[in-house]
Amino acid sequence: QKEVEQNSGPLSVPEGAIASLNCTYSDRGSQSFFWYRQYSGKSPELIMFIYSNGDKEDGRFTAQLNKASQYVSLLIRDSQPSDSATYLCAVNRRNYQLIWGAGTKLIIKP
Amino acid sequence: DAGITQSPRHKVTETGTPVTLRCHQTENHRYMYWYRQDPGHGLRLIHYSYGVKDTDKGEVSDGYSVSRSKTEDFLLTLESATSSQTSVYFCASQRGLEKYEQFFGPGTRLTVL
């Protein structure tokens, strides 16, 4: 079992709909959770982070954390073609490290 | 965003040659990281640094070494490049342990022939 797992996709979503991306993790001691967006040929860009159970909203993005079930999700409302990218989930590990999922490719269809 | 630059941005080299990639940050971040990214594997940690002259291995450190003589610079050296080291290399930095947010440089595309 990988420490951080994501569905590789691609996930295809119509423009204007809600895109839902999921990530599960194995280390119950993890306390910090991150979503990065990566456009093709570019570097990862931090878009959301969450440290406590529940929801965190920032504009069209909502991060949801459920520590009991060990998953974190990212919702993108009113999806736009510019949201088409690969979304990486990262979870903190001891010793200053983040553990990364392989990413989910999201395609927003106009 | 953290000011992080990487050089070179692209490099083609031959098997057996040494290669050094440079990462420079202007944010005075304490922690710095080198990752490689390959299709299907996501980001894999090569080495990281938790202070000047303080470094440690990541999950894929074989064939790589690092040095950090100043807070702002973190060098990655491929001692004798192999074709399996063809990849995109990203440097990242992190302010401290109070938060784990990492910020990335633009990446270096390395091709080993």
Side-chain angles (χ1 to χ4, degrees), chain A residues 47-77:
Chain A
I47 55 171
M48 289 286 288
F49 56 88
I50 186 167
Y51 300 122
S52 56
N53 264 344
D55 295 0
K56 178 181 178 182
E57 187 173 317
D58 184 1
R60 297 186 295 113
F61 298 95
T62 299
Q64 299 175 320
L65 174 61
N66 185 319
K67 287 188 175 181
S69 301
Q70 295 178 245
Y71 80 80
V72 57
S73 61
L74 178 70
L75 302 178
I76 307 175
R77 291 182 299 281

Side-chain angles (χ1 to χ4, degrees), chain B residues 31-68:
Chain B
Y31 300 93
M32 296 185 75
Y33 305 82
W34 277 107
Y35 293 96
R36 61 177 291 174
Q37 188 174 41
D38 305 287
H41 287 279
L43 288 164
R44 292 185 289 176
L45 182 64
I46 304 171
H47 282 279
Y48 64 99
S49 170
Y50 47 96
V52 174
K53 297 185 178 173
D54 291 323
T55 65
D56 206 349
K57 297 178 179 180
E59 61 184 297
V60 290
S61 60
D62 287 349
Y64 302 94
S65 63
V66 291
S67 66
R68 192 168 178 201

